[in-house]
Amino acid sequence: YNINVETSKYYKQPAVKSTDMEETVKTLNNYVGKTITLKDDNQTYTLTSDDYAPHLSAQGKEISVDESWIKNYVASLASKVNTRGKATSFTAPNGQVINVKGGTYGKVLSTKTEREQIKQDILSGKDVTRNLNITSYGNKTLNSDVIIVNIAAQTVTAFKNGQQILNASVVTGKMTPDRMTDYGLYYIFHKRSPAVLKGDDYQTPVNFFAAFHNGEGFHDADGWRKAYGGNIYINGGSHGCVNMRYNDAKTIYDNFAIGTPVAVI
């Protein structure tokens, strides 16, 4: 018998040919020396091809990146970027150093969006410079426009454009777990004038209301309070709001926009 080993396909054909390898190497070389620069305010994070190259896979001209590695990288990035709810220290316009933790103020990396964006950046094979995908909660005005609620002193001190425009005695929440004003760094997220404050056992109209955390906010209370400051709050405090004289509540309402940071210390 005569057998043609080529046409009979007795030889196992290679899965990868030299031409395939040449094409893959040529494609991968497009990623060498590339840099992705990610910006966050004055902070910069740099991702080089040395960082992500070990996590690339190639099939001819088709390049893919290990998405589990991207997920871990973005998670580590978030741990550096995220400030919302974390302990914060800042210097108020009057030079006072304020230390506060918890709350809703700050910034958060949008991890899902960032993972997809980094994947696109890597696969583009180009140098990329861009801002991180960050959601900010509250205005970045801690050193110029900020309202400070001091529970122990029972005062509200407010700064606008770096100048103190209010230092008022107030009454904060009664010092019980269900009524005390929560400590933390927040921001004004809602304003209404006039407004009606509602609770399980009350429904009270006020002239000015500026909310900064859940149902807690600044409002006038002259309709039922004759005195402010001191130790009134311990046993006779509000349901969590900051009770103020009419003119003081008006000052807050008229001068501070939604987004203004509020530090409860």
Side-chain angles (χ1 to χ4, degrees):
Y1 295 92
N2 295 319
I3 299 174
N4 188 320
V5 294
E6 290 185 356
T7 59
S8 302
K9 299 183 179 178
Y10 281 102
Y11 290 121
K12 182 174 178 63
Q13 298 301 305
V16 180
K17 298 180 180 180
S18 61
T19 53
D20 296 329
M21 292 297 294
E22 289 167 2
E23 193 65 50
T24 298
V25 169
K26 182 179 178 181
T27 300
L28 286 173
N29 279 338
N30 292 330
Y31 296 83
V32 175
K34 299 301 186 293
T35 300
I36 299 171
T37 303
L38 307 171
K39 295 184 177 181
D40 168 32
D41 293 332
N42 297 322
Q43 185 66 48
T44 298
Y45 303 92
T46 302
L47 188 60
T48 70
S49 58
D50 289 342
D51 299 316
Y52 59 75
H55 308 285
L56 293 177
S57 298
Q59 185 72 33
K61 292 184 179 181
E62 295 296 321
I63 302 296
S64 60
V65 59
D66 184 353
E67 296 195 22
S68 63
W69 172 80
I70 293 178
K71 184 176 181 179
N72 291 334
Y73 175 76
V74 172
S76 68
L77 203 57
S79 69
K80 302 181 184 79
V81 170
N82 293 352
T83 60
R84 195 181 195 206
K86 291 185 177 180
T88 302
S89 179
F90 68 94
T91 302
N94 63 350
Q96 180 184 5
V97 177
I98 303 295
N99 295 299
V100 62
K101 63 179 179 179
T104 57
Y105 178 90
K107 57 189 177 182
V108 176
L109 183 68
S110 302
T111 54
K112 183 177 180 180
T113 303
E114 191 60 40
R115 288 198 298 267
E116 185 59 35
Q117 186 70 59
I118 285 181
K119 178 182 175 181
Q120 293 176 13
D121 293 340
I122 292 173
L123 295 181
S124 73
K126 299 177 181 178
D127 289 320
V128 175
T129 298
R130 63 172 175 84
N131 293 325
L132 284 166
N133 293 284
I134 290 175
T135 300
S136 293
Y137 297 88
N139 299 335
K140 301 174 184 179
T141 58
L142 285 171
N143 303 115
S144 59
D145 290 19
V146 62
I147 303 169
I148 300 170
V149 181
N150 190 318
I151 291 181
Q154 287 293 280
T155 59
V156 165
T157 307
F159 300 90
K160 184 180 178 67
N161 297 325
Q163 300 298 314
Q164 181 177 305
I165 65 169
L166 181 69
N167 185 31
S169 295
V170 300
V171 176
T172 59
K174 182 180 179 181
M175 293 302 285
T176 57
D178 59 328
R179 288 179 55 172
M180 65 184 294
T181 303
D182 293 313
Y183 295 94
L185 187 57
Y186 306 99
Y187 62 97
I188 294 176
F189 67 87
H190 172 75
K191 293 172 66 178
R192 180 174 293 180
S193 176
V196 177
L197 308 179
K198 298 178 181 180
D200 293 336
D201 56 352
Y202 67 90
Q203 185 167 314
T204 306
V206 297
N207 294 286
F208 310 102
F209 181 59
F212 58 81
H213 174 52
N214 293 334
E216 299 173 17
F218 304 100
H219 65 77
D220 53 296
D222 287 347
W224 63 94
R225 289 200 185 278
K226 303 303 177 186
Y228 296 85
N231 295 321
I232 299 171
Y233 75 108
I234 296 176
N235 296 309
S238 71
H239 288 77
C241 284
V242 179
N243 290 182
M244 310 182 78
R245 293 182 174 89
Y246 178 95
N247 287 337
D248 296 334
K250 186 176 189 303
T251 297
I252 294 292
Y253 192 90
D254 289 347
N255 286 277
F256 296 101
I258 289 175
T260 301
V262 177
V264 183
I265 61 175

